Amino acid sequence: MAGAGMLNIILVGIAASVLLFMYRPRMTGSRSWQATLTPLSSIIGSGFLIIAPLLASVVGVYSPVAITVIVVLAYAIGSVIRFNILHAEPLLHDRAAHPLLYKTDLIANAALSFAYVTAVAFYLSLLSSFLLTYVGFGDSPNLEKTLTSTIIIFIATTGYFRGLGGLEKLEAYSMSLQLSIVAALLIGILVYDYEFIKSGQPLMLSDKDRDWVTRVLVLSGVLLVVQGFETSRFLGEKYSAEMRARTMRRAQLISGVLYIASVSVLMPIVQHIDLEDVHIADIVAATGLAATVLPLMLIVAAIMSQFSAAVADTVGAGGLASESSNRRLSTNRSYLIVSALAIMLVWRADLLEIISFASRAFALYYLLQCFVAMLASRHRPKNRIHYLQLASFVILAGILLFIVLFAMPAK
């Protein structure tokens, strides 16, 4: 018991140290780090806690391999968005000279707008449900919707009166807390894994009985769990194209390392979860096997992850709406419109049904961005790099078309 108590103290100390590091003036005052937080919040916030059991239910012990492939593919798609930030955006300013490019991007943005609004409503509904369950009001639909709407109004008000900078501060606070807890989680689980390996126990992961075709289709849908990097595309009001491309790459690398590390180390813990019916609460409770302090810390992390993802997608949606209106609509007012639509969805729509359509909308956006990249590449010098890039755009477009048409949700 003394050893377990000491581990709890160490993990709390690790989380506090990381949090203090994140709150240093050098970090909070860094424009580069601020530009990194929006895509990072969106990528990590939407699926970090659920990804390990989700993959384990599909491919079992091969989950670390699967997440590595998914992260690499997501990075490749991110390279398309970065190409468009640097090379397609300047062309989009002159819609008359590039009508096909402009129309393709406009259709892509329409799909993404629907996805963003749905994602904001969904993430915050999950947050409210999770929070109310832990305080004893888990079976109160109207209370859940009221709390969700209140949080959305808070985000919208912050965005309207304080703009992008105000929302970035919300992201910074929630993301810093989340990353500090993730650091403690990984250390705590590594200690558990070490004891597990020493004990000589076999890893008992019985994934669902599916044929390989079904597994591929489900994994295609899991790719969208690590989406969110495209939010950098809509931060042009504050950051240069070069900074947005650079910080998006950084966000993808950081999140990729965290996803691969977390899935790998969580395998011994995941075997204690019912993979037939995965819930975040079950994942949180299972981490108590490693250290008794972890469940409480992860409750905070789960809440912060949904909040930061919702804020990041609000930022992305606001920037997208402003860009699509040729800046006639300010981003501050766009945040209000996005939030109003999200509240309407919370009260009138079945979010569990439409979130699958939102996932396909994200994939459709990426697919259309591949076409945007192909069109923009025609204005680049025709050399070996050009043809290699064009080939990569075509291959990724084929993969994304497959996902749009055939991806299945993991159940």
Side-chain angles (χ1 to χ4, degrees):
M1 293 297 292
M6 180 57 67
L7 179 59
N8 287 331
I9 293 171
I10 291 172
L11 294 181
V12 172
I14 289 171
S17 298
V18 173
L19 190 59
L20 288 174
F21 176 82
M22 299 287 291
Y23 281 152
R24 290 185 311 155
R26 186 174 178 181
M27 292 287 287
T28 57
S30 168
R31 281 176 56 82
S32 178
W33 180 240
Q34 288 173 357
T36 304
L37 280 175
T38 295
L40 186 61
S41 297
S42 190
I43 299 169
I44 293 182
S46 58
F48 184 77
L49 290 177
I50 200 74
I51 190 69
L54 191 62
L55 287 176
S57 72
V58 180
V59 292
V61 294
Y62 299 104
S63 297
V65 177
I67 189 59
T68 301
V69 173
I70 289 169
V71 164
V72 170
L73 181 55
Y75 185 84
I77 297 170
S79 70
V80 175
I81 307 298
R82 288 190 288 276
F83 178 89
N84 289 342
I85 287 175
L86 295 171
H87 303 297
E89 274 188 18
L91 302 176
L92 290 169
H93 294 314
D94 189 355
R95 68 171 73 175
H98 309 284
L100 182 58
L101 181 72
Y102 174 78
K103 289 177 182 177
T104 304
D105 191 63
L106 190 64
I107 296 171
N109 287 350
L112 189 60
S113 297
F114 165 73
Y116 273 151
V117 172
T118 305
V120 170
F122 184 70
Y123 294 152
L124 293 180
S125 293
L126 283 180
L127 186 160
S128 298
S129 176
F130 188 74
L131 180 59
L132 290 174
T133 297
Y134 272 96
V135 297
F137 295 95
D139 192 21
S140 306
N142 287 335
L143 181 59
E144 178 185 318
K145 292 178 180 180
T146 301
L147 178 57
T148 302
S149 301
T150 302
I151 299 171
I152 293 174
I153 290 170
F154 169 70
I155 294 172
T157 304
T158 302
Y160 181 72
F161 288 106
R162 303 190 63 185
L164 176 58
L167 292 179
E168 283 181 328
K169 286 186 178 179
L170 293 182
E171 287 176 342
Y173 293 138
S174 58
M175 199 64 212
S176 297
L177 185 55
Q178 186 183 346
L179 287 176
S180 66
I181 292 173
V182 167
L185 168 69
L186 292 178
I187 298 299
I189 299 299
L190 276 173
V191 173
Y192 177 84
D193 288 354
Y194 174 72
E195 296 297 330
F196 177 81
I197 293 170
K198 272 196 355 179
S199 70
Q201 301 176 53
L203 187 60
M204 304 293 292
L205 278 176
S206 56
D207 53 291
K208 295 179 183 178
D209 186 18
R210 292 165 164 155
D211 58 77
W212 70 269
V213 174
T214 303
R215 293 173 196 264
V216 170
L217 296 180
V218 173
L219 287 176
S220 298
V222 175
L223 166 68
L224 299 175
V225 173
V226 297
Q227 62 78 26
F229 43 85
E230 78 290 333
T231 50
S232 294
R233 169 77 173 73
F234 307 108
L235 300 178
E237 174 189 349
K238 185 175 179 180
Y239 303 106
S240 68
E242 291 74 16
M243 179 173 285
R244 283 182 286 138
R246 184 173 66 253
T247 53
M248 185 213 290
R249 181 184 294 109
R250 178 193 296 164
Q252 283 200 281
L253 290 173
I254 293 172
S255 61
V257 169
L258 290 177
Y259 269 115
I260 293 171
S262 65
V263 169
S264 300
V265 303
L266 279 169
M267 286 297 99
I269 289 287
V270 164
Q271 67 181 334
H272 298 286
I273 298 172
D274 179 10
L275 297 180
E276 294 292 326
D277 188 22
V278 177
H279 296 284
I280 292 179
D282 297 332
I283 305 166
V284 169
T287 61
L289 296 169
T292 54
V293 74
L294 283 179
L296 179 59
M297 295 172 72
L298 281 190
I299 290 172
V300 177
I303 292 171
M304 289 298 101
S305 68
Q306 301 305 321
F307 180 76
S308 61
V311 173
D313 282 359
T314 301
V315 168
L320 186 157
S322 180
E323 179 185 296
S324 298
S325 68
N326 290 317
R327 304 298 175 187
R328 288 191 294 269
L329 183 67
S330 70
T331 52
N332 295 45
R333 291 182 179 178
S334 298
Y335 299 142
L336 294 181
I337 296 172
V338 169
S339 299
L341 292 172
I343 290 174
M344 288 176 59
L345 284 180
V346 167
W347 286 94
R348 295 184 176 275
D350 186 336
L351 290 175
L352 288 177
E353 286 186 2
I354 65 174
I355 193 64
S356 61
F357 293 104
S359 296
R360 290 184 185 276
F362 276 116
L364 178 60
Y365 172 78
Y366 294 141
L367 171 60
L368 292 173
Q369 285 300 304
C370 287
F371 293 140
V372 168
M374 292 177 204
L375 293 170
S377 69
R378 296 189 304 179
H379 301 273
R380 303 289 297 160
K382 303 300 186 291
N383 52 31
R384 186 164 174 256
I385 294 177
H386 162 77
Y387 291 110
L388 287 174
Q389 283 183 327
L390 187 59
S392 70
F393 298 154
V394 172
I395 292 170
L396 286 172
I399 294 172
L400 287 165
L401 180 61
F402 176 85
I403 292 172
V404 170
L405 295 175
F406 303 113
M408 293 174 55
K411 294 180 180 179

